[in-house]
Amino acid sequence: MQVSLALSKALIVGMLLALGTATPSLGHQASASKAAVTEIHNIIVPQARRTMRHRHIQAVELTAVDIKLGIDDQLATTTMQLTVSNPANRPQQTEMLVPVPDGVTIRSVQYDGTGLEPIAKLLPRDEARSIYDSIVRKSLDPALVEFAGYNLIRTSAFPIPANGSQKLTITFEQVLLADGDRIDYVLPRSEALAESDVAWTIKASIDNSKGIASVYSPSHDLVVEKHGDVRVSAASAAGRPLSPGAFRLSYLRRPANVGGVSATLFAYPDASVNNGQGGYFLMLASLPKRMSHQQPKREVILVLDRSGSMEGAKIEQARKAAIQVIEGLAMGESFNIIDYSDSIQSFSRYPVVKTAETAAEARSYISQIQAQGGTNIHDALLEAVRVTPTSGTLPMVLFLTDGLPTVGERSEVAIRDAVKKANMHNRRIFSFGVGYDANAPLLSTIAQSSKAASTVVLPEEDVEIKVSQVFARLRGPMLVGPKLIALDGDSVSTRLVREMQPSELNDVFENDEILVLGQYTTDQTLRFRLTGHEATGEDRVYEMTFQTSEASARNGFVARIWATRKIAALTDEIRQSSAGGSTPNDPRTKELVDEIIRLSTRWGVMTEYTSFLATDEDAPLASFREEVTADGRIAVSPAEPAAPARAYTRARERISSGNEQRAGKEGATQQLNYVGRQQAQTVSGAAANIMLDKDMKQVQIAGVQQVADRSLFRRGGRWVDSALGGKEDAAPDATVEFGTDAYSEIVVKLTRQGRQGLLAMGGDVYLSLEGRRILVKGPAATPEAPKGR
């Protein structure tokens, strides 16, 4: 998105990404102590959100940013390759400003063009701040305010030929800080939704001679690949735009204790939790490597739908998927095949051990399965869970269907209750809903109640590939039936930790990480005990100790990810209760909807049912009172019942009517959105309000902006901080004008809190600061903010 500003030429002659003054260059280009440069050139900040240009100038454009990150133990080397294009018919000059954290040193600057090589200088945060302030005042745009508090790499000006492009590569190094066995890396980037289409790619390589237990990014979805025990590579997903926000990457070193668990805790303090003595946590853990090379065994029951609706490509793909599973089992593991329509058939009465002979017989059996008849889901599932598992194995079911039950028991509630009751051997039921006709909530509930997962296979997707992807992950169970508890001394505590997401852990397989979020209610040490057993029955116990004293508002991502998962759990409660006939006016439904509205408002996490809070500027921001009952339960009620009534009535109607869609495209869409929130691990994706609409198209809600640990909603032509607690219509305690001394004081205060990005949105911002309502007036020439959709 290009934005034109009618600024005087005396102030700006070319700008890019919220920057553009006739700023002095470095070194051989000019001296900061001499008169201002009169030659036209551009200034680029690669991490800023907005591309701006003078309406009379064809400004230089940043078209791509490619990051290569190498981390060797605690030494990080960042190589930033910047591609810059000049659309004008005459040469132009450009210089770069790159915000960086403390401890950075410049290693090199490389330029592939002709002329003098540009040089770079590292400016400390105070000097960087003065440059930001100068540019913000002259450009009348606060976009750079969010980089206050960072150091700055500034290059000298370099030429870009007419109608041409150049690449500039800046390499810098830093020693990363360690928090126990966790090493953290941060590259500053704008938190606001991007208004330009600059392509970003990130590739990282991590080496540590002690061994790498886990790699995690709370900010972005990465594709992680392990290369032995001491090297891991990670990269942003190809073909996807990089979400806004600083790029954060952490990795866990293997502990000195060979048999110990690798674990770390990110803590975010919250004044609303236990009178300010608690907050939210994200615990990441990786189990120790298995000492024995012998893989624990599995017993897999394949349950294939062969009803008439499976005819054609679907049944052919299902047969191939079944053969892939059989081939993927190790010799000595057990299996069976159940195929069903209106009748139930099976390969064997009981599971058989895989041998060359039984595998060949299974392939022959699968090849003869034909599609015909109705769909008896009830009886097929009961047949799959009835048999006593083979001793010493982890029993699991891979259940596949493409439709609603049409034969036998058809009630969703009756089927799910019958399967839960019959599953006395705790088989993990991994379900696959093929196409749009499957009952997604039913399959999801059956899977979750057995500590497994449900997968949607869209019409254009291949059944074989989806089943194979899930089965490939189910290799080598490391911990069966895991449970995580908090300890107070040697006793189990029900008070120190609460509201954990997920509430129950699934089995842990090879290469799995354990990620748990929740609230903590103490400013003292937190101790956890993780228990479970191996598939052979041998018990395992791990204990972990963490300090919450380092809790920081900069870890606001923790609370937002927690809220995303909590909203998913609440929505699923409503979805399951609606199967039993609950209505929008049921007291339980009203309570759940009120809590969804509260969380959506506070943390800015929208759903397809509550998106109107961001897109409808007339929707009131609900204010809620949160109390903890004697049994440790959180009780929520509207602080001012009249104010949010319209909001939660509207949401209740949307959620209840939407959950009537058990199947069809809308049902599949709801399930995919639900899974995205339920499994959220980063503040991109579902937590950033990216979801599928009813037509299966990906959309992002832009009427709400997530900045640090705050949420801003567009109301009355200005951005409103949800921390105002429903007081967005109240008169401000103070009004501060852009560019004044009072404005600078607020920037300093917010920078200390890591919340300076609240002022970088553009336009007026109504925020809560130190218990006061402050209206910050933006400059009149600020580009228009993005509107919700």
Side-chain angles (χ1 to χ4, degrees):
M1 174 180 176
Q2 303 290 347
V3 182
S4 297
L5 294 182
L7 303 180
S8 68
K9 193 171 182 180
L11 287 180
I12 177 170
V13 292
M15 64 167 60
L16 190 62
L17 291 175
L19 296 173
T21 61
T23 306
S25 302
L26 300 176
H28 53 264
Q29 300 292 343
S31 171
S33 62
K34 296 180 180 179
V37 175
T38 57
E39 182 180 16
I40 294 175
H41 68 269
N42 304 267
I43 299 178
I44 296 175
V45 176
Q47 299 108 302
R49 79 175 189 273
R50 179 164 38 236
T51 298
M52 296 183 187
R53 56 175 56 182
H54 189 271
R55 65 181 179 179
H56 301 304
I57 300 294
Q58 282 186 297
V60 165
E61 299 175 341
L62 179 70
T63 57
V65 179
D66 298 296
I67 304 293
K68 289 186 178 180
L69 169 64
I71 301 177
D72 189 348
D73 194 10
Q74 289 181 242
L75 178 63
T77 302
T78 303
T79 300
M80 177 181 286
Q81 185 181 81
L82 307 164
T83 303
V84 186
S85 298
N86 178 12
N89 293 323
R90 50 168 172 62
Q92 295 194 67
Q93 297 225 50
T94 297
E95 63 179 272
M96 293 285 176
L97 300 181
V98 180
V100 292
D102 288 338
V104 162
T105 58
I106 303 171
R107 195 170 82 176
S108 66
V109 178
Q110 295 177 311
Y111 170 64
D112 69 355
T114 59
L116 293 173
E117 284 279 340
I119 61 173
K121 180 180 179 182
L122 181 65
L123 307 180
R125 67 178 65 184
D126 291 340
E127 191 172 347
R129 170 70 190 279
S130 66
I131 291 177
Y132 293 148
D133 287 347
S134 174
I135 294 171
V136 167
R137 284 196 303 270
K138 292 179 180 179
S139 66
L140 300 181
D141 185 354
L144 281 188
V145 169
E146 64 184 310
F147 296 114
Y150 286 104
N151 298 332
L152 182 67
I153 293 177
R154 181 181 182 186
T155 73
S156 57
F158 56 93
I160 311 296
N163 299 309
S165 63
Q166 299 288 358
K167 294 183 186 296
L168 181 74
T169 302
I170 302 174
T171 301
F172 54 89
E173 294 179 335
Q174 64 192 115
V175 176
L176 302 178
L177 298 178
D179 184 341
D181 286 324
R182 190 186 81 227
I183 310 296
D184 297 325
Y185 172 89
V186 179
L187 178 67
R189 292 176 71 244
S190 173
E191 292 186 271
L193 295 180
E195 297 177 34
S196 62
D197 55 359
V198 177
W200 276 71
T201 64
I202 297 179
K203 294 182 179 179
S205 178
I206 304 171
D207 293 89
N208 192 293
S209 58
K210 296 179 181 179
I212 299 171
S214 180
V215 173
Y216 171 63
S217 171
S219 61
H220 294 85
D221 294 320
L222 300 178
V223 178
V224 178
E225 185 176 354
K226 292 188 176 181
H227 309 277
D229 295 332
V230 298
R231 165 167 281 198
V232 174
S233 60
S236 53
R240 296 184 191 175
L242 199 67
S243 299
F247 174 68
R248 300 176 183 272
L249 183 67
S250 299
Y251 82 91
L252 276 177
R253 297 178 291 200
R254 288 283 180 194
N257 177 10
V258 176
V261 64
S262 303
T264 191
L265 191 90
F266 297 89
Y268 164 76
D270 192 318
S272 68
V273 179
N274 197 25
N275 298 318
Q277 294 185 357
Y280 294 84
F281 71 87
L282 184 155
M283 188 199 77
L284 180 69
S286 178
L287 297 179
K289 295 183 295 183
R290 183 182 289 110
M291 302 305 294
S292 171
H293 294 291
Q294 184 177 358
Q295 291 283 348
K297 295 179 180 179
R298 301 162 293 180
E299 180 186 275
V300 178
I301 309 296
L302 275 162
V303 186
L304 304 179
D305 184 346
R306 55 171 168 80
S307 61
S309 57
M310 287 286 292
E311 187 176 13
K314 286 192 286 188
I315 193 65
E316 177 63 26
Q317 291 171 7
R319 285 194 293 258
K320 291 181 179 179
I323 291 174
Q324 285 282 348
V325 170
I326 301 301
E327 296 292 338
L329 290 169
M331 293 296 179
E333 293 190 303
S334 305
F335 72 92
N336 198 4
I337 304 161
I338 296 173
D339 52 294
Y340 71 98
S341 57
D342 43 40
S343 62
I344 313 298
Q345 303 294 328
S346 63
F347 171 72
S348 174
R349 175 68 175 163
Y350 300 99
V352 300
V353 174
K354 180 183 176 181
T355 64
E357 181 180 0
T358 57
E361 292 172 353
R363 286 192 293 269
S364 176
Y365 182 87
I366 292 168
S367 67
Q368 298 175 43
I369 295 175
Q370 300 296 320
Q372 57 184 351
T375 308
N376 191 339
I377 290 177
H378 175 274
D379 289 359
L381 280 168
L382 293 190
E383 177 65 18
V385 300
R386 69 169 179 82
V387 181
T388 302
T390 305
S391 178
T393 65
L394 175 62
M396 59 184 69
V397 174
L398 302 185
F399 178 80
L400 185 148
T401 184
D402 78 331
L404 300 169
T406 60
V407 176
E409 181 60 70
R410 304 180 192 181
S411 165
E412 178 179 334
V413 175
I415 292 173
R416 77 187 188 196
D417 290 347
V419 173
K420 186 174 182 179
K421 181 178 180 181
N423 191 16
M424 295 182 295
H425 304 297
N426 298 319
R427 290 184 183 275
R428 278 47 173 167
I429 306 174
F430 293 87
S431 62
F432 298 84
V434 181
Y436 292 141
D437 294 331
N439 186 326
L442 171 61
L443 298 180
S444 178
T445 302
I446 289 173
Q448 287 186 69
S449 63
S450 70
K451 294 189 175 182
S454 180
T455 301
V456 174
V457 185
L458 297 176
E460 65 273 14
E461 294 180 317
D462 191 305
V463 177
E464 178 189 359
I465 293 175
K466 297 288 278 193
V467 173
S468 297
Q469 287 173 343
V470 172
F471 185 66
R473 192 185 67 79
L474 304 179
R475 180 177 179 272
M478 300 279 289
L479 196 64
V480 178
K483 293 183 179 180
L484 183 70
I485 58 173
L487 298 175
D488 187 357
D490 293 327
S491 303
V492 176
S493 172
T494 58
R495 298 182 182 180
L496 295 180
V497 169
R498 66 189 190 208
E499 292 290 333
M500 287 203 296
Q501 294 293 329
S503 56
E504 294 185 351
L505 298 178
N506 287 352
D507 300 326
V508 182
F509 293 85
E510 279 190 3
N511 299 321
D512 279 354
E513 295 169 343
I514 300 172
L515 191 149
V516 178
L517 300 111
Q519 294 181 347
Y520 63 92
T521 61
T522 177
D523 55 4
Q524 304 300 315
T525 300
L526 275 182
R527 289 179 58 218
F528 289 96
R529 177 179 292 157
L530 176 66
T531 61
H533 60 86
E534 294 191 0
T536 57
E538 187 176 355
D539 290 336
R540 287 285 178 262
V541 179
Y542 305 98
E543 291 196 0
M544 298 156 284
T545 301
F546 306 106
Q547 302 297 328
T548 60
S549 56
E550 296 300 318
S552 169
R554 297 182 188 277
N555 291 337
F557 60 84
V558 172
R560 202 177 309 281
I561 298 172
W562 173 86
T564 303
R565 289 195 173 197
K566 182 65 175 179
I567 288 172
L570 294 170
T571 304
D572 191 53
E573 285 282 340
I574 298 173
R575 184 169 66 163
Q576 299 309 327
S577 64
S578 66
S582 68
T583 67
N585 293 319
D586 286 348
R588 177 58 177 162
T589 300
K590 293 173 66 176
E591 181 183 46
L592 293 171
V593 171
D594 292 351
E595 177 66 353
I596 291 173
I597 289 287
R598 185 187 72 84
L599 293 173
S600 292
T601 299
R602 179 169 185 194
W603 301 112
V605 178
M606 301 293 103
T607 72
E608 54 267 56
Y609 310 113
T610 58
S611 59
F612 69 89
L613 290 171
T615 58
D616 182 356
E617 293 200 11
D618 294 327
L621 297 179
S623 176
F624 288 83
R625 180 183 297 112
E626 180 180 284
E627 297 175 347
V628 180
T629 60
D631 60 359
R633 200 173 149 269
I634 293 181
V636 179
S637 60
E640 298 177 5
R646 183 158 59 93
Y648 64 69
T649 298
R650 194 164 165 189
R652 193 184 313 128
E653 292 172 351
R654 285 193 178 197
I655 292 174
S656 298
S657 62
N659 280 307
E660 293 174 0
Q661 302 297 323
R662 319 302 286 181
K665 180 182 284 190
E666 190 168 348
T669 298
Q670 290 174 8
Q671 176 65 15
L672 290 172
N673 285 333
Y674 163 70
V675 170
R677 297 183 190 105
Q678 179 206 34
Q679 299 179 359
Q681 295 191 16
T682 72
V683 289
S684 60
N689 298 319
I690 297 174
M691 65 189 78
L692 297 173
D693 65 11
K694 62 181 181 180
D695 296 319
M696 281 283 178
K697 294 180 180 179
Q698 184 172 286
V699 296
Q700 184 167 20
I701 307 300
V704 58
Q705 298 273 321
Q706 302 166 342
V707 180
D709 58 345
R710 296 287 182 87
S711 301
L712 298 175
F713 289 81
R714 195 71 177 164
R715 293 291 186 272
R718 64 190 182 192
W719 290 105
V720 175
D721 185 356
S722 67
L724 289 169
K727 302 287 187 181
E728 66 267 24
D729 294 327
D733 296 320
T735 300
V736 175
E737 297 289 339
F738 172 81
T740 62
D741 290 342
Y743 180 89
S744 296
E745 291 176 6
I746 289 179
V747 172
V748 171
K749 289 180 179 180
L750 290 175
T751 300
R752 288 173 183 161
Q753 300 172 0
R755 295 171 174 144
Q756 63 271 33
L758 290 169
L759 299 181
M761 298 303 304
D764 296 349
V765 181
Y766 196 15
L767 57 86
S768 174
L769 179 62
E770 297 178 341
R772 303 178 69 216
R773 297 187 299 274
I774 309 294
L775 176 60
V776 180
K777 302 289 289 183
T782 298
E784 185 178 359
K787 298 184 181 298
R789 60 184 187 274

